[in-house]
Amino acid sequence: MLDLTQDVRALTAAIVDIESVSGHERALADAVEGALSALPHLKVSRSGETLVARTQLGRAERVLIAGHLDTVPVAGNLPSRVDGDLLYGCGTSDMKAGVAVALKLAAGLPEPNRDVTYVFYDCEEVEAERNGLTRVARDHADWLAADFAVLMEPTDGVIEGGCQGTLRAEITVTGKRAHSARSWLGVNAVHGIEPVLARLNAYEARRPVVDGLEYHEGLNAVGVSGGVAGNVIPDLCVVTVNYRFAPDLSIEQAEQHVREVFDGFAVSIVDAAPGARPGLTHPAAAAFTAAVTGAVGGEPRAKLGWTDVARFSALGVPAVNYGPGDPNLAHQQGEYVALSKIVESERAMLDWLST
Amino acid sequence: MLDLTQDVRALTAAIVDIESVSGHERALADAVEGALSALPHLKVSRSGETLVARTQLGRAERVLIAGHLDTVPVAGNLPSRVDGDLLYGCGTSDMKAGVAVALKLAAGLPEPNRDVTYVFYDCEEVEAERNGLTRVARDHADWLAADFAVLMEPTDGVIEGGCQGTLRAEITVTGKRAHSARSWLGVNAVHGIEPVLARLNAYEARRPVVDGLEYHEGLNAVGVSGGVAGNVIPDLCVVTVNYRFAPDLSIEQAEQHVREVFDGFAVSIVDAAPGARPGLTHPAAAAFTAAVTGAVGGEPRAKLGWTDVARFSALGVPAVNYGPGDPNLAHQQGEYVALSKIVESERAMLDWLST
């Protein structure tokens, strides 16, 4: 049974020491469920290894605080150990420190100034189809209803608003095979991608300001492949491009843009995920920003990578990333979190929800 | 025992029916050796499954007539069968019809007007290292000494002079990896090949006349590859190019040319094989051309693909391709040779060596 009255630093270590690699979160989910269910001010629901706990105070606003329970595979870095201000171990930064902060809030704030929904979910580190949020959004969308959400992924204690969307497409150029000794009888598809690359090189990425944050787009080749044999003129060449688009565009608009850039070429969309607006203009978000910047300093910035905040955005819930971990340490064998950052993060969140 | 007194068409069928897929030429090599050894005017040498038979008449000129004994794998196309003027079967066109013509000459011309070296070799259809000519050129180069050589590969009865050389090189562009959500932190190596492709697209291939024949060069990408993952800016992209060069250039000159075309880029030579000059200005060659065009018609043309004539050229022996088979039928299940073409070819060669 997890003791939610202990210091947030000790609680982080306790959670880290319950191994929870993706697909094996049951022990931790059980421990979290046991601890939350003991709190009379929360209504706890469970779907698989995902827990949702809600205050039901009838406040005018509801905010959502979320963290995933799983980690990447352990790499000889458990149990956790403390060295000065640093807590080492698998999942310390990504993102059990954030989970510990959320659990402390859940236990310590029976009457927050806003209704709060706490979400602890499974399988974030693996394919989207297994992600607990995917399942809950599909089966119990009402559990996730809120005016604003904070995903406590590692951001080094700075608010990272929303996230950019991502779209991958294949640009295919065809030609005609021929023996390379008589190349003029063929049409070289590899030579044919020159204008595709020229458009990529000439591309000027947008840097739009969305809800007060400046995003930075990018359109890039992430792969190219073509060739039949060392003596054959290739009849096929495929350039795979990745468009990272600011959250003022929908997937449909992003696709339209890519098709326009490569007008005249065969464009096939491989996959896409929407962005998320930061929603920092919402009153709950403004209060959150004031609390965090008051406690920690550091102006909010745009999140450029894709995160689960996009799932909240898709449900109509503006969302930000904010957590004590250092994102650069995620998934590394030497992963750690600064204990002082966890405390700082807990204080900022308490300020936001209690004053 | 092969009967070399029979008609060249029947002899072709007899040879076709002795299966001799590359690496399994022994039965055919034994049969050829037995037949040649019975001819007192020839000195016969053997290396593995390669036979070399020479007249030793002290003529002012020596010419070499060569053909490979092996075939690609049988594809349900043996034994041979005749349909009208066509002889069907594995190896009919490539190149047992040519071998049969050479054997008829060896047996029927005890006193040719030029000394003749007949070469029947193994493993032409597989990697160069196993090729009987590679071995003989290394171990017994003197066996191949001659003023002019005719390789009786299928050319549809037209003299194809020399051959173009071939060189493959990798043009490597490097960059710097970065997450594609923050692409400006990286350097995209796939984008970096645009100028490589631009130079290929702008390339104007030479069409030089060498020893009276017009060649046609080509410089082409035969492959391209780059990419790490769908969310990573690639730090490496390789374009593989194939330069087919006319026989007025050495391998060293061809390499120098490719390095000049891609000046400023990292160029790595993967493999290269020299071309062969047609040598049609040599008196023995001129007489050969007169005999063939007199018997058959059809002006000599340049050989654009690479063939074993380059091995003779490397030994200082100008060489041409000339044979009764149709090169477009080589390696096909439905391979055949026109019986009339075999007779025509035998008559042309007899004219050349006896008048």
Side-chain angles (χ1 to χ4, degrees):
Chain A
M1 175 88 168
L2 279 178
D3 172 10
L4 301 187
T5 66
Q6 65 186 315
D7 179 271
V8 70
R9 294 166 289 197
L11 179 59
T12 300
I15 296 171
V16 169
D17 290 339
I18 301 175
E19 199 176 306
S20 60
V21 175
S22 308
H24 299 86
E25 299 94 336
R26 176 158 298 174
L28 181 55
D30 287 350
V32 169
E33 182 179 24
L36 294 174
S37 297
L39 302 168
H41 61 278
L42 293 177
K43 174 174 162 59
V44 179
S45 305
R46 180 163 179 164
S47 161
E49 315 305 346
T50 293
L51 282 309
V52 178
R54 287 170 285 180
T55 63
Q56 300 192 289
L57 301 165
R59 304 288 197 228
E61 289 179 350
R62 174 174 291 279
V63 296
L64 187 150
I65 299 171
H68 61 83
L69 298 175
D70 62 319
T71 69
V72 294
V74 179
N77 49 1
L78 282 185
S80 62
R81 66 185 172 83
V82 174
D83 184 356
D85 186 46
L86 306 182
L87 174 69
Y88 283 87
C90 181
T92 45
S93 171
D94 185 13
M95 57 170 288
K96 289 183 173 178
V99 167
V101 169
L103 285 171
K104 284 296 291 178
L105 299 172
L109 286 174
E111 295 193 352
N113 56 9
R114 298 165 174 86
D115 267 313
V116 184
T117 300
Y118 300 97
V119 178
F120 305 97
Y121 63 105
D122 59 311
C123 286
E124 190 272 346
E125 300 289 7
V126 290
E127 59 270 31
E129 189 44 46
R130 293 171 62 192
N131 188 308
L133 278 187
T134 304
R135 187 180 60 249
V136 171
R138 183 183 61 218
D139 299 343
H140 308 283
D142 57 307
W143 294 0
L144 304 179
D147 298 298
F148 177 65
V150 178
L151 182 61
M152 298 200 70
E153 287 275 10
T155 65
D156 219 11
V158 176
I159 297 172
E160 295 192 332
C163 78
Q164 294 197 139
T166 177
L167 179 147
R168 261 184 291 271
E170 289 181 348
I171 319 300
T172 298
V173 173
T174 56
K176 185 181 162 200
R177 283 194 199 189
H179 195 292
S180 63
R182 289 171 292 276
S183 52
W184 50 92
L185 300 180
V187 177
N188 196 314
V190 172
H191 296 192
I193 67 167
E194 184 199 341
V196 174
L197 300 182
R199 293 184 200 182
L200 286 167
N201 278 320
Y203 187 77
E204 296 197 17
R206 289 197 314 145
R207 300 178 72 153
V209 173
V210 182
D211 294 352
L213 298 187
E214 185 186 84
Y215 287 83
H216 191 159
E217 297 194 335
L219 178 62
N220 278 273
V222 290
V224 63
S225 113
V228 178
N231 60 352
V232 177
I233 300 304
D235 58 347
L236 185 70
C237 191
V238 178
V239 181
T240 305
V241 300
N242 184 207
Y243 179 35
R244 297 284 176 152
F245 54 96
D248 59 339
L249 296 188
S250 66
I251 286 182
E252 292 67 30
Q253 290 170 317
E255 174 178 338
Q256 182 59 29
H257 176 66
V258 169
R259 291 191 183 280
E260 281 167 12
V261 169
F262 298 107
D263 184 40
F265 289 92
V267 175
S268 162
I269 307 300
V270 177
D271 56 32
R277 297 183 72 100
L280 291 180
T281 49
H282 189 279
F288 175 71
T289 302
V292 170
T293 54
V296 189
E299 283 302 302
R301 61 190 178 208
K303 183 71 169 182
L304 302 178
W306 193 91
T307 77
D308 270 329
V309 297
R311 297 178 194 280
F312 296 113
S313 189
L315 293 169
V317 184
V320 299
N321 306 272
Y322 168 72
D326 178 345
N328 297 321
L329 300 173
H331 304 190
Q332 297 197 14
Q333 199 272 341
E335 181 178 356
Y336 63 80
V337 65
L339 294 168
S340 53
K341 286 270 191 182
I342 310 176
V343 172
E344 194 177 270
S345 177
E346 182 190 27
R347 191 170 65 242
M349 297 290 278
L350 275 171
D351 282 356
W352 175 44
L353 294 175
S354 56
T355 60
Chain B
M1 173 86 167
L2 280 177
D3 172 10
L4 302 187
T5 66
Q6 66 187 313
D7 179 272
V8 70
R9 295 165 288 195
L11 179 59
T12 300
I15 295 171
V16 169
D17 290 338
I18 302 176
E19 198 176 307
S20 60
V21 176
S22 307
H24 299 87
E25 300 94 336
R26 176 157 299 173
L28 181 54
D30 288 350
V32 169
E33 183 180 24
L36 294 175
S37 298
L39 302 168
H41 61 278
L42 293 177
K43 174 175 163 58
V44 179
S45 305
R46 180 165 179 162
S47 162
E49 315 306 346
T50 293
L51 282 310
V52 178
R54 286 171 287 180
T55 63
Q56 299 190 293
L57 301 166
R59 303 290 196 227
E61 288 178 350
R62 174 174 291 279
V63 296
L64 187 149
I65 298 170
H68 61 83
L69 298 176
D70 62 320
T71 69
V72 294
V74 179
N77 49 2
L78 282 185
S80 62
R81 64 183 173 84
V82 174
D83 184 357
D85 185 45
L86 305 182
L87 175 68
Y88 284 86
C90 181
T92 45
S93 171
D94 185 12
M95 59 171 284
K96 288 183 172 177
V99 167
V101 169
L103 285 170
K104 284 295 292 180
L105 298 172
L109 286 174
E111 295 194 352
N113 55 11
R114 298 166 174 86
D115 267 313
V116 184
T117 299
Y118 301 96
V119 178
F120 304 98
Y121 63 105
D122 59 310
C123 286
E124 190 271 346
E125 300 289 6
V126 289
E127 59 269 31
E129 188 44 46
R130 292 173 62 192
N131 188 308
L133 278 186
T134 303
R135 186 178 62 248
V136 171
R138 182 183 64 219
D139 299 344
H140 308 282
D142 56 306
W143 294 359
L144 304 179
D147 298 298
F148 177 65
V150 178
L151 182 62
M152 298 199 70
E153 287 274 9
T155 64
D156 219 10
V158 176
I159 296 173
E160 295 193 332
C163 77
Q164 295 198 137
T166 177
L167 179 148
R168 261 183 292 271
E170 289 180 349
I171 319 300
T172 299
V173 172
T174 56
K176 184 182 163 201
R177 281 193 202 190
H179 195 292
S180 63
R182 290 171 292 277
S183 52
W184 51 92
L185 300 179
V187 177
N188 196 315
V190 173
H191 296 192
I193 67 167
E194 184 199 340
V196 173
L197 300 182
R199 292 184 200 183
L200 286 167
N201 278 321
Y203 187 78
E204 295 198 16
R206 290 197 313 146
R207 300 178 73 153
V209 174
V210 183
D211 295 353
L213 298 187
E214 185 186 85
Y215 288 83
H216 191 159
E217 296 193 336
L219 177 62
N220 278 273
V222 289
V224 63
S225 111
V228 177
N231 61 351
V232 177
I233 300 303
D235 58 348
L236 185 70
C237 192
V238 177
V239 181
T240 304
V241 300
N242 184 207
Y243 179 35
R244 297 283 175 152
F245 55 95
D248 59 338
L249 297 187
S250 66
I251 286 182
E252 292 69 27
Q253 290 170 316
E255 175 178 340
Q256 181 59 30
H257 176 67
V258 170
R259 291 191 183 282
E260 282 168 11
V261 169
F262 298 107
D263 185 38
F265 289 91
V267 175
S268 163
I269 307 300
V270 177
D271 56 31
R277 298 183 72 100
L280 291 180
T281 49
H282 189 280
F288 175 70
T289 302
V292 170
T293 54
V296 189
E299 283 302 301
R301 61 189 178 209
K303 184 72 170 182
L304 302 179
W306 193 91
T307 77
D308 270 328
V309 298
R311 299 179 192 278
F312 296 113
S313 189
L315 293 168
V317 185
V320 299
N321 305 272
Y322 168 72
D326 178 344
N328 297 321
L329 300 173
H331 304 191
Q332 296 198 13
Q333 200 272 340
E335 181 179 357
Y336 63 79
V337 66
L339 294 168
S340 53
K341 285 270 190 182
I342 311 176
V343 172
E344 193 177 88
S345 177
E346 181 191 28
R347 190 171 66 242
M349 297 292 276
L350 275 171
D351 281 355
W352 175 45
L353 294 175
S354 58
T355 60

